[in-house]
Amino acid sequence: MKLEIGNFYVKDIVFGEKTSYKSGILTIDKKEALDFICQDEHITEAELYIAKPGDKIRMCPVKEAIEPRVRLNCGPLFPGFTGELMPVGEGKTHALKDCCVTVVGKHWGGFQDGFIDMSGEGAKYTYYSQLINIVLVADTDEDFEKHEQQKKNKALRLAGHKLAEFIASCVQDLVPEETEVYQLDPVLNRDPEVMKLPKVVLVLQPQSQMEESGYNDLLYGWDTNHMVPTFMHPNEVLDGSIISGSFMPCSSKWSTYDFQNFPVIKRLYQEHGKTLNFLGIIMSNLNVALEQKERSALFVAQIAKSLGADGAIVAEEGYGNPDADFVACIVALEDAGVKTVGITNECTGRDGASQPLVTMDEKLTAIVSCGNVSEIIELPPMETVLGELEALGRDGCSGGWSTDEILGPSVREDGSVIMENNAMFCGDQVVGWSPKTVKAF
């Protein structure tokens, strides 16, 4: 399976008369783009902004981020969600790099929605401050969930995914500046020298806990709550087979942009044939009941063992209840003789003194920590707010609160904020490009 991603490196984005790309400048016809978005009758208000690294802009409540791409065979960018079902992972796709479509609620936030600062102290907590953001600020007629803490954000997320493809269509017929090629031979048909290397599998646990549809990550448009662990080609993940859901404390979330650019996958590709034999991905899930968690762990271990894996990397989207799936999976792999490294964030409390994972086991001997979700962050006012800052404290956003006996409200009268790291949009970056590091003491 061979995937070619043709890259166009965006140096600046401006609004203009025609959506086009030339010499690093992406021009967007704002009226045309908004007219396209508002074809969805559920979108009641919409506006587009451009937020660049260093701008004194704050965004909240942030719901999703997507890399603008277009598939050259005219198929949908996200099969089963933005269009008909079709296989992905091979062929050619064009991508606008160093930018993203960011979806922000005009008014209403929820538990799963986040926060981005494009400059200042807050910018260091999220990767998205480094990108040029095409910011869609919109509202919908989904009145039934506006005052709910958990929101499906269906119309807003769909608008962002469609807009990303709509904008990228301007490079469909252009020659890319660079082409990334991702290719793996079938597991049993690889060169003898590759077969001698340590065989490694990547286990991904995307958000799939919610038993009601509309909240979980989608795989080919299918609610991941309905799946069992499945072996997949890594190209499928990089090429739009999976999109982010609308449930998970925000710093733990994997956006669709994260799936499209998954750094751990790309690094395993870089090492393939040199230091390891990258077998592929076991796409697992996160469950609610203990028996479901144990069953999924057994599935993962059996697949890895059948593939002949020597080692595994396990990454979970979330923390708390999902920790039980994460730990059970690592234990099952270790019991099967597969040496395993886990990647996760921690919930150690505001003072950092609590147990990092809900469940622990002595077989967890190699864990990469991506930070403490409960770390307190205090930020000064920002000149411009896109969205509604009050949502951070008012609407149950993870990391924010309406009032606290000691700390007061999350959102202060002067526009400054105090909150937990939980609120930073995809801030912990378990996918592999966290700006955080470990200090030696």
Side-chain angles (χ1 to χ4, degrees):
M1 188 177 284
K2 181 180 180 181
L3 172 65
E4 297 181 50
I5 301 178
N7 294 330
F8 299 81
Y9 289 92
V10 177
K11 299 174 183 176
D12 197 10
I13 301 178
V14 297
F15 291 125
E17 294 183 356
K18 181 181 179 181
T19 299
S20 60
Y21 177 86
K22 184 177 181 181
S23 302
I25 309 301
L26 174 62
T27 301
I28 298 174
D29 182 334
K30 182 193 281 192
K31 182 180 184 305
E32 180 186 47
L34 288 172
D35 287 345
F36 172 76
I37 290 164
C38 291
Q39 289 177 11
D40 184 342
E41 61 183 7
H42 296 293
I43 302 294
T44 57
E45 296 180 72
E47 185 57 89
L48 285 178
Y49 302 89
I50 299 168
K52 305 175 185 179
D55 286 349
K56 296 179 180 179
I57 291 176
R58 174 167 290 161
M59 292 179 262
C60 181
V62 183
K63 299 177 181 289
E64 172 67 300
I66 311 103
E67 182 169 78
R69 291 186 180 186
V70 62
R71 203 176 298 283
L72 300 198
N73 65 359
C74 298
L77 186 56
F78 302 105
F81 183 66
T82 59
E84 64 183 15
L85 188 62
M86 59 170 281
V88 299
E90 58 184 342
K92 296 182 179 181
T93 294
H94 282 178
L96 291 166
K97 307 301 290 186
D98 299 327
C99 68
C100 64
V101 171
T102 306
V103 183
V104 178
K106 184 176 178 62
H107 297 296
W108 305 102
F111 175 73
Q112 64 289 316
D113 298 332
F115 184 103
I116 296 174
D117 271 0
M118 295 302 296
S119 63
E121 175 71 10
K124 74 181 185 182
Y125 289 97
T126 174
Y127 177 80
Y128 294 89
S129 64
Q130 303 175 41
L131 303 176
I132 304 176
N133 288 248
I134 305 161
V135 187
L136 169 62
V137 180
D139 199 8
T140 77
D141 64 359
E142 295 164 317
D143 294 335
F144 67 94
E145 68 176 17
K146 283 183 177 177
H147 298 285
E148 296 292 331
Q149 187 185 33
Q150 298 289 353
K151 295 177 175 60
K152 297 181 180 181
N153 291 320
K154 181 178 178 181
L156 291 174
R157 293 189 297 122
L158 180 60
H161 288 85
K162 287 187 172 181
L163 179 62
E165 185 173 13
F166 180 81
I167 291 172
S169 63
C170 70
V171 298
Q172 185 166 14
D173 298 322
L174 302 183
V175 178
E177 297 155 26
E178 176 194 61
T179 299
E180 299 175 46
V181 179
Y182 297 97
Q183 185 172 11
L184 284 179
D185 293 329
V187 173
L188 298 179
N189 296 335
R190 298 181 178 176
D191 291 340
E193 292 304 309
V194 174
M195 297 295 282
K196 293 178 183 177
L197 295 170
K199 296 179 284 294
V200 176
V201 67
L202 174 61
V203 181
L204 299 182
Q205 295 179 313
Q207 174 49 46
S208 48
Q209 282 184 289
M210 296 296 281
E211 294 178 337
E212 182 179 339
S213 63
Y215 294 102
N216 296 312
D217 296 354
L218 299 179
L219 185 63
Y220 286 105
W222 194 33
D223 192 316
T224 49
N225 179 261
H226 301 155
M227 65 176 282
V228 294
T230 303
F231 184 66
M232 294 184 65
H233 197 289
N235 289 6
E236 294 178 90
V237 177
L238 296 176
D239 197 31
S241 71
I242 186 165
I243 66 167
S244 178
S246 190
F247 172 75
M248 185 50 60
C250 203
S251 71
S252 305
K253 183 182 288 189
W254 299 348
S255 72
T256 297
Y257 184 100
D258 290 339
F259 283 114
Q260 292 172 298
N261 292 278
F262 218 106
V264 173
I265 295 176
K266 292 187 176 184
R267 182 57 189 273
L268 286 167
Y269 254 115
Q270 290 174 9
E271 296 300 319
H272 178 69
K274 299 175 184 176
T275 62
L276 55 85
N277 178 1
F278 182 22
L279 298 176
I281 290 174
I282 300 175
M283 189 66 69
S284 188
N285 52 357
L286 300 170
N287 302 280
V288 177
L290 180 60
E291 182 181 341
Q292 295 170 353
K293 297 174 185 292
E294 292 172 343
R295 184 180 296 112
S296 288
L298 292 176
F299 266 98
V300 169
Q302 182 60 34
I303 294 171
K305 189 174 179 179
S306 297
L307 290 168
D310 300 304
I313 299 171
V314 179
E316 68 166 328
E317 182 183 7
Y319 69 92
N321 189 293
D323 289 346
D325 301 79
F326 177 70
V327 172
C329 186
I330 293 174
V331 170
L333 285 165
E334 289 283 349
D335 286 344
V338 181
K339 296 297 182 183
T340 305
V341 175
I343 310 176
T344 182
N345 54 16
E346 305 174 54
C347 184
T348 58
R350 293 177 181 177
D351 61 359
S354 299
Q355 179 172 298
L357 301 175
V358 168
T359 63
M360 302 289 285
D361 193 282
E362 61 184 8
K363 294 175 183 176
L364 273 67
T365 58
I367 298 292
V368 177
S369 172
C370 299
N372 175 20
V373 301
S374 301
E375 178 187 354
I376 289 293
I377 298 169
E378 193 166 0
L379 301 172
M382 195 64 73
E383 283 185 6
T384 301
V385 174
L386 299 182
E388 191 169 56
L389 184 57
E390 290 76 12
L392 176 66
R394 182 193 65 207
D395 299 337
C397 294
S398 54
W401 53 85
S402 57
T403 187
D404 183 276
E405 291 182 1
I406 299 174
L407 301 176
S410 251
V411 180
R412 296 161 175 161
E413 290 185 3
D414 65 352
S416 63
V417 300
I418 183 168
M419 63 187 194
E420 293 182 354
N421 175 62
N422 250 322
M424 284 294 176
F425 182 71
C426 302
D428 295 330
Q429 292 295 356
V430 172
V431 297
W433 46 27
S434 174
K436 300 171 186 175
T437 187
V438 175
K439 291 183 178 180
F441 292 95

